[in-house]
Amino acid sequence: MSAGSAGEDLTRRTAAELAELLRAGEVSSVEVTRAHLDRVAAVDPAVHAYLHVNTDEALEDAARVDERRAAGEDLPELAGVPIAVKDVVVTRGQVTTAGSKMLEGWVPPYDASLVTELRRAGMPILGKTNMDEFAMGSSTEHSAFGPTRNPWDLDRIPGGSGGGSAAAVAAGLAPLAIGTDTGGSIRQPAAVTGTVGVKPTYGGVSRYGLIALASSLDQAGPVSRTVLDSALLHEVIGVHDPLDSTSLTDPATGLVAAARSRDLAGMRVGVVTELGGEGYQPGVRAAFDHAVELLRGAGAEVVEVSCPSFDYALAAYYLILPAEASSNLAKFDGMRYGLRVEPADGPVTAETVMAATRGAGFGDEVKRRIILGTHALSAGYYDAYYGSAQKVRTLIQRDFAAAFEQADVLVSPTAPTTAFRFGEKVDDPLAMYLNDVATIPANLAGVPGLSLPSGLSDDGLPAGFQVLAPIREDARLYRVGGVLERMLTEEWGGPILDKAPELEVTA
Ligand code: GLN
């Protein structure tokens, strides 16, 4: 392939294909990186997947990898493949805002541990992707810097909170991206953009350097075009980190091999009764049912499992998450990071500066959750709200334990609907929260989950298929996902992203 004509092509390649071309010396990392940066310049004004683009630094990093390769160095698998990183992950010397006015222009003095791993793997960082403010939301409409648009239909949301990472991959603006998933923010955006997203086992990827939303739920993970690509990236970032006390001690292994599996003989697949009934769009459900049939055809034994406590997961999550978030966000006080606003009149004290800064710096959804969280934690209400939610959390963990006695993996639609239109749910918090009804149980129990496209719904938009596995059994996600993806791609006659409409060049 000649580099000149390859520009457009390179932005449609999988990370595995790019890695292969780079290894064979058919393209350079500078060419691959530049192809993506060119496409960002051309179409991202319309999509707005990125908040910040690191043109010069990404090209310098790419040139350095090319030099090392030319010198005959033995490089890591993904060396030279560029990547986009959600703006909730701190990057040294590069603005990191978490989608909030509170951190506008803030330049972190250090790298998150997962970013250190990306750099060690020789992956140029293209830029930072848009998100709902502090990762609160399911549509990116809560970003302080304007929403991201879904590449499948620019009038629709790309999911959230990591809509920027998912849209970047779907639109060919990055071959890979990093997301974070506290209640579904990797998997739900993947579902509505036709991409693959994985929430590893809690502790599987270091949280050091993530701007914390809810520390007991937060987990970073890959977003990609294919299951294999997510596995490749997962193995790069899934390593032990002494800087995170909840980091698992053994690294994630066998994921890439699992993603290359050919069959599911002996695998018991459990369809979760509670995740798929009322409220699920018929086209989403139909694509899901079809995928389950394919799994059966690949040798899986399909069983129905019931997890009755899942019906309370959403309610428990919206107490636990705000409680933890209200504590984590207390550090944004006008003294330490980013924005500082002094009161218009009256005395300038720590309290008045804090009130003025937080009033100006936080958006409505963030304020809503801080108020909810501090209320749930306050004396007299703690047991009734936070305490009850923690009990539900235990019941959900028990449901998972019982379900994994009957099945090796659990499956459901990832999100109840396809991408909705801007404005449809943004003024109705409960309607917005319901998008995560199927993804939240995994975060409450710490189990890993993967979303891959199951097909197009009756409205022509992508639907997601979710696979869940027991703690530390992330490889099972890739085995099921890899086999299903191969069968579906064959049916579609090619990758689902090739069916997305061409984006117009706007710059
Ligand atoms: N949409 C969910 C929320 O608003 C999930 C957020 C996330 O995973 N970061 O809390």
Side-chain angles (χ1 to χ4, degrees):
M1 175 199 305
S2 88
S5 64
E8 177 65 17
D9 261 346
L10 291 176
T11 64
R12 288 180 172 263
R13 299 283 185 154
T14 68
E17 289 167 351
L18 291 172
E20 196 53 52
L21 291 171
L22 286 161
R23 230 184 337 272
E26 290 188 37
V27 290
S28 68
S29 177
V30 167
E31 285 162 352
V32 173
T33 303
R34 197 188 300 278
H36 286 89
L37 290 168
D38 286 349
R39 188 161 163 85
V40 170
V43 304
D44 205 43
V47 177
H48 195 218
Y50 285 90
L51 290 176
H52 328 281
V53 182
N54 297 324
T55 307
D56 296 342
E57 209 181 326
L59 288 170
E60 282 163 25
D61 288 347
R64 211 163 308 129
V65 181
D66 287 338
E67 277 165 31
R68 289 170 61 193
R69 201 182 302 274
E73 248 187 80
D74 191 16
L75 296 171
E77 180 89 8
L78 290 177
V81 178
I83 186 164
V85 176
K86 189 177 178 183
D87 204 32
V88 74
V89 181
V90 307
T91 40
R92 179 166 51 179
Q94 296 165 359
V95 171
T96 299
T97 66
S100 181
K101 288 261 183 264
M102 191 60 98
L103 286 175
E104 197 165 9
W106 181 60
V107 180
Y110 69 108
D111 274 331
S113 293
L114 77 84
V115 172
T116 304
E117 295 306 329
L118 298 178
R119 296 197 199 280
R120 207 194 306 276
M123 303 178 71
I125 296 172
L126 294 164
K128 306 297 288 292
T129 56
N130 196 15
M131 52 182 285
D132 287 292
E133 184 175 7
F134 290 112
M136 299 180 189
S138 307
S139 70
T140 74
E141 290 169 289
H142 296 311
S143 167
F145 307 108
T148 297
R149 296 176 179 277
N150 192 318
W152 287 81
D153 177 347
L154 297 176
D155 293 328
R156 291 176 188 268
I157 61 100
S161 61
S165 284
V169 171
L173 305 173
L176 291 170
I178 294 289
T180 58
D181 191 312
T182 303
S185 289
I186 292 175
R187 290 163 287 157
Q188 183 257 3
V192 300
T193 57
T195 55
V196 175
V198 179
K199 181 198 94 70
T201 294
Y202 180 78
V205 176
S206 171
R207 285 183 298 111
Y208 181 77
L210 306 190
I211 297 171
L213 171 55
S215 309
S216 75
L217 304 165
D218 294 347
Q219 187 53 218
V223 182
S224 63
R225 298 174 79 94
T226 65
V227 171
L228 174 62
D229 283 2
S230 272
L232 287 163
L233 179 55
H234 192 155
E235 288 196 1
V236 170
I237 57 177
V239 294
H240 175 64
D241 179 16
L243 298 175
D244 173 359
S245 61
T246 58
S247 169
L248 300 179
T249 46
D250 41 345
T253 53
L255 309 179
V256 171
R260 294 198 165 110
S261 304
R262 312 295 311 187
D263 71 74
L264 298 176
M267 183 75 111
R268 294 169 307 162
V269 172
V271 176
V272 183
T273 319
E274 287 75 12
L275 305 179
E278 211 189 316
Y280 286 76
Q281 193 176 312
V284 169
R285 183 69 213 199
F288 171 77
D289 290 340
H290 175 65
V292 171
E293 280 319 304
L294 291 182
L295 294 181
R296 210 192 294 271
E301 181 196 335
V302 178
V303 295
E304 173 117 5
V305 298
S306 175
C307 296
S309 304
F310 284 15
D311 287 345
Y312 307 100
L314 198 70
Y317 173 86
Y318 277 101
L319 286 167
I320 293 168
L321 177 134
E324 293 189 25
S326 69
S327 162
N328 277 327
L329 295 180
K331 61 179 168 281
F332 300 106
D333 57 4
M335 320 282 155
R336 283 175 278 198
Y337 311 90
L339 190 71
R340 176 188 169 92
V341 179
E342 297 199 350
D345 42 44
V348 176
T349 66
E351 283 74 23
T352 60
V353 169
M354 199 188 295
T357 302
R358 290 165 73 83
F362 288 140
D364 287 348
E365 181 62 21
V366 174
K367 287 178 184 160
R368 183 179 295 127
R369 296 203 195 184
I370 291 173
I371 292 168
L372 209 67
T374 44
H375 182 71
L377 290 176
S378 56
Y381 295 102
Y382 184 95
D383 285 340
Y385 292 130
Y386 185 72
S388 305
Q390 290 291 23
K391 286 179 190 154
V392 172
R393 189 173 188 171
T394 302
L395 294 176
I396 288 165
Q397 288 164 353
R398 286 188 193 153
D399 275 5
F400 268 115
F404 285 130
E405 298 268 304
Q406 300 164 59
D408 302 304
V409 293
L410 302 179
V411 297
S412 77
T414 310
T417 69
T418 55
F420 46 93
R421 287 180 197 283
F422 288 108
E424 232 176 83
K425 303 187 182 181
V426 72
D427 297 322
D428 182 351
L430 289 183
M432 188 70 88
Y433 297 168
L434 276 168
N435 288 289
D436 297 302
V437 67
T439 47
I440 279 172
N443 300 79
L444 289 171
V447 306
L450 173 150
S451 177
L452 79 158
S454 56
L456 299 183
S457 178
D458 35 13
D459 53 13
L461 294 166
F465 185 91
Q466 177 175 242
V467 189
L468 303 170
I471 281 175
R472 290 171 188 257
E473 297 290 354
D474 304 46
R476 289 187 200 169
L477 307 176
Y478 292 103
R479 180 170 174 211
V480 175
V483 169
L484 180 57
E485 180 183 67
R486 185 170 309 109
M487 292 187 290
L488 284 168
T489 310
E490 209 162 285
E491 281 190 3
W492 302 328
I496 199 162
L497 287 177
D498 288 353
K499 299 187 189 305
E502 266 307 318
L503 289 168
E504 264 178 54
V505 172
T506 50

